[in-house]
C-alpha cells in the first residue's frame, strides 16, 4: 500500500510544477536521455540516474541480481577505490543513495549546485568502468542476504506480502521478490552480477534527471562532457510476459511467529498505458481515495472507528508500472476479531460501493485532495525528479504529468462504480493471511540495517 501512497503524492507534488516550468529534454548521440527541470528556490541540485532494469528483467535462478548489482555499484572503479564513492559525495557536502524496484534501479545525489559536475563525473565513471572484484562481491552478497533476513524473514507481514505476490502472479516476474529468493542469493556469483551490469548498464538504457538551481544548457554540456564519450550497448530484446487470466479465487496462508493476524487481498486491474485515452486507471485512483483517501474515507470510518473490526485497514492502487497492476487491501483485525471477519467486512464495503456507487460529496472530497496537494508542488526538488524519472522509466513520458490532475478531475461517480463492478470481482481475487504462531522471545532477531553505502 505504501508504494501507491508514495506514488500518488509524488505525482501530485510534481505535476503542477511541471505544468508551470517546462522540462528541458535532450538526448546524447549514445542514447542517454537528459531531462532538466529548473527550480531556483535554493542553490541546490538533485541528480538522478535511472536505469530501465529492475527485477522484472531477471531470470529464474538469479532473482535479486538487480539489487545485488545496486550494492556493487558502490564498490569502486579504477579511479574511485571501493568505499570512496560515498565519502567523496559526503566530503562535497552532499548526500546520496540508491534503490532497486521491480521496474528500474536509481542512483541519486543531492548537492550544492556547483558540485553537479562531480556527481556526473562519478556516475559516468561507474556506468562504464565498474571494478567488480570477487572479494568485494563475496562480502557484499552476505550483506544482501542479511538484508533479506531482517526485511522479510523476521517480519511476518512482509512474508504475507511476498506470498501474496507469488500467488497472484503465477507467471509474471512481479511474482518474485525484488530482493530475491534466499536460495538464489546463496548460489549467485560475481559473474551473475557482472553479466547484469554488461546487459543493462548503458547510456542507451538510462535517463539522467536533474532538478534544481541550474541552467538547462549548461547541464546538457556537462552531460555531453561526462556521459557523451560512453558507448551505447546493443540491448537484449525484452520479451514482454503477460500474466494469464485468473479464473478463480486464490488463497494462501502463512504460518509464522507473530502476535497478531494479518490480511492481504489483491485484484487484477489495468495499468496506465495511454494517458490521454485511458480512463479506467484514473477512476481506480479515485476509487482508492474513496475507500482509503483520509480519516473520513470508508474503510477507516466504518471498519476501524464505527464497527471496530480492524486496528488498521487500507487500500491502494498503483497505475504506473511496466507490468500489470493490482488493487490491494490489507489490514489487522481487532482483538477478538478474525481475519475472516475482516475480509467479509472489506468485501461488504466493496459490494456496497458496487451496488450504491459513491456520493457526490465523496467524489468532490477526493478531488479536493488532489487540488490541495498541488499547494505542495514545489516542496521537494527530489520528488519532482523522482516523478519525472518514474514516468520515463515505465514507458510513459514526463509530458503526461501536467495533465494527470485534469484526468482525475474528469472522473465521474458512474465511472468509479463501473470499475469497481468490473474489476473487484471474486474470480480476480487473491487472499493471503497470517496465521500467528507462538513467538519465541529468546530467539535473537537479525539486526536492522541501513540501506546506505
Amino acid at each position: 500500500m505504501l508504494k501507491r501512497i508514495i506514488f500518488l503524492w509524488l505525482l501530485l507534488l510534481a505535476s503542477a510544477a511541471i505544468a508551470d516550468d517546462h522540462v528541458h529534454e535532450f538526448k546524447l548521440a549514445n542514447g542517454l536521455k537528459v531531462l532538466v527541470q529548473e527550480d531556483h528556490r535554493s542553490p541546490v541540485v538533485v541528480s538522478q540516474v535511472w536505469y530501465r532494469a529492475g527485477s522484472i528483467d531477471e531470470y529464474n535462478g538469479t532473482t535479486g541480481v538487480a539489487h545485488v548489482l545496486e550494492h556493487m555499484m558502490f564498490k569502486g572503479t579504477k579511479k574511485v577505490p571501493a568505499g570512496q564513492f560515498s565519502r567523496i559525495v559526503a566530503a562535497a557536502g552532499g548526500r546520496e543513495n540508491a534503490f532497486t524496484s521491480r521496474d528500474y534501479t536509481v542512483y541519486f545525489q543531492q548537492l550544492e549546485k556547483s558540485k553537479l559536475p562531480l556527481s556526473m563525473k562519478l556516475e559516468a565513471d561507474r556506468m562504464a568502468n565498474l571494478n567488480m572484484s570477487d572479494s568485494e562481491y563475496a562480502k557484499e552478497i552476505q550483506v544482501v542476504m542479511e538484508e533479506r533476513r531482517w526485511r522479510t524473514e523476521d517480519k511476518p507481514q512482509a512474508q504475507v506480502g511476498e506470498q501474496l505476490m507469488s500467488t497472484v502472479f503465477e507467471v509474471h516476474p512481479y511474482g518474485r521478490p525484488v530482493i530475491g529468493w534466499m536460495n538464489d542469493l546463496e548460489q549467485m556469483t560475481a559473474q551473475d552480477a557482472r553479466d547484469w551490469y554488461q546487459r543493462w548498464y548503458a547510456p542507451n538504457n538510462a535517463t539522467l534527471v536533474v532538478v534544481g538551481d541550474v541552467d538547462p544548457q549548461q547541464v546538457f554540456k556537462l552531460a555531453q562532457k561526462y556521459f557523451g564519450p560512453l558507448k551505447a550497448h546493443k540491448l537484449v530484446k525484452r520479451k514482454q510476459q503477460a500474466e494469464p487470466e485468473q479464473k478463480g479465487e486464490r488463497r494462501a496462508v502463512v504460518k509464522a511467529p507473530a502476535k497478531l493476524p494479518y490480511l492481504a487481498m489483491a485484484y487484477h486491474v489495468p495499468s496506465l498505458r495511454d494517458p490521454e485515452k485511458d480512463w479506467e486507471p484514473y477512476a481506480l485512483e479515485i476509487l482508492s481515495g474513496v475507500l482509503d483517501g483520509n480519516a473520513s474515507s470508508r474503510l477507516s470510518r466504518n471498519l476501524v472507528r464505527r464497527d471496530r473490526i480492524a486496528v488498521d485497514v487500507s487500500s491502494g492502487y498503483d497505475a504506473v508500472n511496466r507490468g500489470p497492476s493490482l488493487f490491494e487491501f490489507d489490514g489487522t483485525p481487532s482483538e477478538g476479531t478474525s481475519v475472516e471477519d475482516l475480509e467479509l467486512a472489506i468485501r461488504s464495503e466493496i459490494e456496497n460501493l458496487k451496488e450504491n456507487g459513491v456520493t457526490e460529496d465523496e467524489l468532490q472530497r477526493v478531488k479536493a485532495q488532489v487540488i490541495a496537494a498541488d499547494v505542495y508542488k514545489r516542496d521537494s526538488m527530489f520528488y519532482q525528479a523522482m516523478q519525472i524519472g518514474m514516468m520515463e522509466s515505465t514507458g510513459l513520458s514526463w509530458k503526461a504529468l501536467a495533465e494527470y490532475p485534469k484526468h482525475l478531475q474528469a472522473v465521474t461517480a458512474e465511472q468509479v462504480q463501473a470499475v469497481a463492478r468490473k474489476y473487484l470481482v471474486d474470480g480476480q481475487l487473491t487472499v493471503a493471511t497470517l496465521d500467528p504462531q507462538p513467538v519465541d522471545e529468546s530467539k535473537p532477531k537479525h539486526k536492522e540495517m541501513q540501506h546506505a553505502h
Side-chain angles (χ1 to χ4, degrees):
M1 308 310 156
L2 182 61
K3 185 188 173 195
R4 195 276 306 180
I5 295 166
I6 291 171
F7 165 74
L8 192 53
W9 272 98
L10 292 179
L11 176 70
L12 297 171
L13 285 167
S15 58
I18 288 165
D20 294 341
D21 299 302
H22 180 62
V23 173
H24 299 262
E25 182 173 329
F26 310 95
K27 196 162 191 178
L28 303 189
N30 60 15
L32 179 72
K33 184 177 283 190
V34 182
L35 300 172
V36 186
Q37 168 79 32
E38 293 180 75
D39 188 326
H40 299 289
R41 290 174 302 154
S42 61
V44 174
V45 63
V46 172
S47 180
Q48 301 176 346
V49 175
W50 294 68
Y51 292 95
R52 198 165 191 256
S55 64
I56 190 175
D57 301 297
E58 294 171 350
Y59 302 120
N60 282 335
T62 56
T63 62
V65 69
H67 176 244
V68 170
L69 194 277
E70 176 217 313
H71 277 245
M72 294 307 298
M73 284 285 279
F74 292 84
K75 298 305 171 183
T77 66
K78 290 179 181 178
K79 295 178 180 178
V80 181
Q84 288 301 307
F85 188 100
S86 298
R87 291 190 183 99
I88 292 169
V89 174
R95 59 186 183 90
E96 49 74 52
N97 216 318
F99 65 90
T100 307
S101 81
R102 302 181 304 183
D103 296 324
Y104 38 74
T105 308
V106 187
Y107 302 84
F108 57 86
Q109 295 84 42
Q110 184 161 325
L111 296 147
E112 194 275 328
K113 65 177 183 179
S114 69
K115 303 297 184 182
L116 180 60
L118 173 66
S119 170
M120 289 202 189
K121 180 181 179 181
L122 290 169
E123 288 292 4
D125 183 31
R126 67 177 174 177
M127 181 182 282
N129 303 309
L130 191 62
N131 182 21
M132 207 180 315
S133 70
D134 288 350
S135 59
E136 286 291 340
Y137 174 83
K139 289 187 288 187
E140 203 61 30
I141 194 66
Q142 295 301 319
V143 173
V144 174
M145 286 192 281
E146 187 65 16
E147 187 179 339
R148 178 179 165 83
R149 290 184 189 102
W150 72 256
R151 273 191 178 183
T152 304
E153 294 174 8
D154 279 352
K155 295 183 178 174
Q157 291 190 4
Q159 292 180 46
V160 173
E162 194 171 84
Q163 185 65 59
L164 178 75
M165 295 303 285
S166 63
T167 305
V168 75
F169 293 117
E170 293 184 330
V171 171
H172 197 275
Y174 278 1
R176 304 191 294 249
V178 173
I179 201 165
W181 299 115
M182 185 62 87
N183 181 251
D184 286 349
L185 297 176
E186 290 169 344
Q187 298 188 78
M188 196 175 293
T189 67
Q191 192 57 47
D192 291 324
R194 292 185 194 109
D195 290 344
W196 183 264
Y197 178 69
Q198 291 298 324
R199 185 179 299 129
W200 299 122
Y201 278 56
N204 49 320
N205 194 45
T207 301
L208 171 64
V209 181
V210 176
V211 175
D213 188 14
V214 293
D215 176 338
Q217 291 299 329
Q218 289 300 317
V219 173
F220 176 62
K221 287 178 181 177
L222 287 171
Q224 186 71 49
K225 176 181 177 180
Y226 291 108
F227 291 95
L230 307 184
K231 292 182 180 179
H233 292 192
K234 184 177 181 181
L235 298 175
V236 178
K237 183 174 175 58
R238 303 176 205 250
K239 295 182 178 179
Q240 299 297 327
Q241 286 185 276
E243 179 67 22
E245 181 185 355
Q246 185 171 331
K247 296 182 178 178
E249 198 172 291
R250 298 175 188 163
R251 291 187 173 267
V253 177
V254 173
K255 291 180 180 287
K259 294 179 179 177
L260 295 170
Y262 175 67
L263 169 73
M265 303 166 56
Y267 296 87
H268 290 281
V269 291
S271 300
L272 183 65
R273 291 291 178 256
D274 187 330
E276 283 302 310
K277 294 181 181 178
D278 291 348
W279 65 268
E280 289 182 331
Y282 303 112
L284 287 162
E285 287 278 17
I286 298 295
L287 172 61
S288 185
V290 168
L291 290 167
D292 184 32
N294 59 23
S296 62
S297 58
R298 292 190 181 194
L299 294 179
S300 178
R301 183 185 69 219
N302 297 343
L303 274 55
V304 177
R305 297 201 304 278
R306 185 190 68 192
D307 300 336
R308 301 186 184 279
I309 289 172
V311 175
D312 57 70
V313 61
S314 63
S315 71
Y317 166 65
D318 180 6
V320 178
N321 295 289
R322 283 170 59 195
S325 287
L326 299 172
F327 198 101
E328 299 178 69
F329 296 86
D330 76 335
T332 303
S334 301
E335 189 174 353
T337 304
S338 67
V339 285
E340 291 79 13
D341 293 332
L342 178 54
E343 181 190 336
L344 285 172
I346 291 172
R347 292 174 79 157
S348 176
E349 290 295 330
I350 293 169
E351 290 308 311
N352 180 44
L353 197 150
K354 288 159 73 171
E355 182 71 25
N356 301 309
V358 299
T359 67
E360 195 60 32
D361 282 349
E362 285 178 303
L363 192 66
Q364 293 310 317
R365 187 186 71 242
V366 173
K367 290 180 179 180
Q369 287 177 271
V370 173
I371 297 170
D374 283 350
V375 173
Y376 303 103
K377 65 189 177 184
R378 294 183 182 277
D379 266 12
S380 170
M381 296 179 192
F382 181 79
Y383 289 126
Q384 289 180 50
M386 281 286 292
Q387 196 55 48
I388 293 168
M390 193 183 302
M391 296 294 274
E392 288 289 330
S393 299
T394 51
L396 299 171
S397 168
W398 62 266
K399 296 173 184 175
L401 289 168
E403 300 297 313
Y404 212 101
K406 181 189 78 173
H407 291 302
L408 290 173
Q409 287 285 10
V411 172
T412 66
E414 290 75 20
Q415 287 176 323
V416 175
Q417 187 177 21
V419 291
R421 287 176 170 174
K422 182 176 179 179
Y423 294 110
L424 304 190
V425 296
D426 292 352
Q428 294 291 304
L429 172 62
T430 300
V431 180
T433 57
L434 172 62
D435 181 1
Q437 304 298 299
V439 178
D440 183 356
E441 298 290 355
S442 66
K443 186 179 178 182
K445 291 284 187 182
H446 293 97
K447 185 179 178 182
E448 183 162 333
M449 302 160 61
Q450 294 298 315
H451 193 193
H453 309 273

